[in-house]
Amino acid sequence: MTERQYLLARERMLKRIAKTRDTARSGLPHWASAADGTWTYTPDGDWTGGAFVGELWLAHLADPRQFPIEDARAALSRMLPRAERLTAFKGFGFYHAGALGSILFEDENAREVALTAARSLRDMFDPHLGLIPLGRDAEEASAVGASESSIDSLQATGLLYWAAEELSDARMEEVANAHMRRVLEIHVRQDNSVIQSSTLDPHTGKVLRTHTHKGYSDISTWGRAQGWAMLYTAHAAMVRPDEPLWRDYAVRLLDWWIDHVPADLIAFWDFDDPAIPKTSRDTAATAIAAAAALRLASALGPEQGAKYRLFAERTVNQLISKYLTPTTPDDPRPPGMLTGGCFTRKAIVRDIDAAQNVELIFGSYFLFECLAILTDLVPPGWI
């Protein structure tokens, strides 16, 4: 696609962001019906709400008149009760909702909220486990124990690395590195595929069991598990260029994805579902993969990173052409929706997450972030 086509796609997504902003007055969007775009909301954002705040920061950058900065600030305020809750997943929300506002606009309130969440994550580190456990307030707390970990918990690291620099906090840096290393050691298999979850001995940290609780089976590769691993290793490679381990992991994980994703580049919800190709796709995992590839391309530089930049562009092209709703009078759906998202097909799931073939707010965020980079709205390496 040309830059003009990326710009047109970005404009479509801005229309969707504006429509969502105008209807989300008391909560934050979680997922939306692919038929008509109606959102399911959460009052405080759950683990996903920071994605919408992140969209609003980027939207303000793209069109400050249509998206005043107060939009992002108001949406961020709805997330405040989550800042000190004991959940590793808040790293995702407060990086995009808080740290991003500080990075792009030096917004002081966004910075302070993000730092509060980062301090809480730092203090959650368990030296017996060698990592930050999911936490009693994690969205999966009813289904897991106090010594559970998952690849999803890498969501803590982006926020911790940012906060470590902001505060010159050596302990924050140490926790981020230890957590990243331990989570990857446990969850990345020898073939560079990823298993989602683990149960640890609370006294010794010994791995008692690994499993994939949101994927097809305990031993399968759930698409979003691979996606989170790629995203946060690539992010670490970008923000910590002097640590070759993160770069090595990111390359191996991305290469596994490139070798196993379908020819049309849109991932199935689980790479091992025996019903493939007659099963759900997951555009959210696919958008995460594209965002990870752009980060890795930035980390590696123009020559070594060219392969990953091209892969990201090809993936974004497929998402835009096949799953981004158009602006046409005969289509009843709002323009700019990224359809085809799958939370999970697993029967045991929270009611609020029982959604397939929908718009997932975090999938939409990562596609919009990719478009922001591909249209030079933000330089590579900023996000």
Side-chain angles (χ1 to χ4, degrees):
M1 286 189 175
T2 64
E3 184 173 352
R4 172 174 164 73
Q5 289 171 308
Y6 287 139
L7 283 167
L8 290 173
R10 195 180 86 187
E11 288 304 308
R12 263 191 279 168
M13 295 199 76
L14 283 169
K15 290 180 181 179
R16 176 60 169 162
I17 294 167
K19 187 175 179 65
T20 301
R21 173 202 60 194
D22 294 342
T23 56
R25 294 301 184 188
S26 59
L28 289 162
H30 195 53
W31 61 266
S33 163
D36 61 10
T38 301
W39 284 105
T40 292
Y41 296 100
T42 62
D44 62 3
D46 202 80
W47 73 266
T48 61
F52 181 59
V53 186
E55 284 190 330
L56 290 171
W57 290 121
L58 291 174
H60 176 66
L61 197 63
D63 189 345
R65 292 185 64 184
Q66 184 182 6
F67 298 95
I69 202 166
E70 287 74 18
D71 290 347
R73 290 170 175 164
L76 172 59
S77 70
R78 297 169 205 160
M79 292 179 58
L80 295 184
R82 297 185 57 78
E84 296 189 78
R85 288 188 187 157
L86 299 181
T87 167
F89 303 146
K90 68 186 175 189
F92 169 81
F94 286 99
Y95 181 82
H96 297 289
L100 190 60
S102 177
I103 292 166
L104 295 178
F105 303 109
E106 299 183 353
D107 188 280
E108 189 58 31
N109 183 62
R111 178 181 182 273
E112 288 306 312
V113 171
L115 290 175
T116 296
R119 291 186 185 100
S120 174
L121 285 169
R122 176 196 60 198
D123 295 344
M124 284 177 64
F125 183 82
D126 186 328
H128 297 294
L129 304 180
L131 49 72
I132 300 169
L134 297 189
R136 70 176 184 225
D137 297 325
E139 284 65 32
E140 295 151 9
S142 62
V144 301
S147 300
E148 286 284 314
S149 182
S150 78
I151 199 73
D152 311 43
S153 72
L154 287 183
Q155 293 175 2
T157 59
L159 184 64
L160 287 170
Y161 281 129
W162 168 81
E165 286 193 2
E166 288 291 304
L167 299 172
S168 299
D169 187 326
R171 177 59 180 163
M172 195 93 71
E173 184 82 15
E174 179 183 305
V175 166
N177 287 332
H179 179 69
M180 175 81 82
R181 187 176 295 108
R182 180 71 169 140
V183 170
L184 292 171
E185 286 173 353
I186 294 171
H187 299 95
V188 178
R189 302 183 182 106
Q190 286 190 344
D191 70 351
N192 299 314
S193 65
V194 171
I195 196 156
Q196 185 192 4
S197 301
S198 60
T199 304
L200 310 179
D201 184 300
H203 305 293
T204 67
K206 180 182 177 181
V207 179
L208 303 177
R209 173 183 177 235
T210 58
H211 59 108
T212 293
H213 71 276
K214 283 187 179 176
Y216 174 76
S217 74
D218 275 354
I219 60 172
S220 67
T221 301
W222 178 49
R224 210 151 68 241
Q226 192 80 21
W228 292 133
M230 295 188 301
L231 183 75
Y232 288 103
T233 53
H235 187 90
M238 185 176 69
V239 300
R240 294 296 182 269
D242 293 335
E243 176 48 80
L245 183 61
W246 309 148
R247 191 164 58 248
D248 176 64
Y249 264 113
V251 166
R252 291 190 283 118
L253 291 161
L254 259 296
D255 285 350
W256 187 94
W257 180 282
I258 292 169
D259 290 342
H260 291 82
V261 76
D264 65 3
L265 304 183
I266 307 299
F268 291 100
W269 78 289
D270 190 297
F271 282 85
D272 297 303
D273 186 342
I276 290 172
K278 295 182 179 179
T279 191
S280 299
R281 303 285 188 138
D282 187 12
T283 56
T286 304
I288 291 168
L294 286 175
R295 282 167 168 77
L296 183 55
S298 176
L300 294 176
E303 187 173 336
Q304 287 183 296
K307 165 186 172 180
Y308 302 101
R309 170 82 180 204
L310 177 60
F311 175 75
E313 291 175 355
R314 291 174 56 226
T315 301
V316 168
N317 295 350
Q318 290 289 87
L319 288 169
I320 290 170
S321 61
K322 293 185 176 180
Y323 291 93
L324 193 67
T325 54
T327 306
T328 54
D330 58 343
D331 193 320
R333 301 170 299 175
M337 292 176 59
L338 179 61
T339 60
C342 178
F343 252 119
T344 179
R345 291 182 62 90
K346 210 65 172 283
I348 301 174
V349 66
R350 297 185 304 164
D351 289 344
I352 199 170
D353 293 343
Q356 301 162 24
N357 190 25
V358 296
E359 179 182 12
L360 298 174
I361 187 59
F362 52 93
S364 293
Y365 168 79
F366 282 112
L367 178 57
F368 190 59
E369 179 190 279
C370 288
L371 290 171
I373 294 169
L374 293 173
T375 57
D376 297 321
L377 184 64
V378 292
W382 267 44
I383 296 179

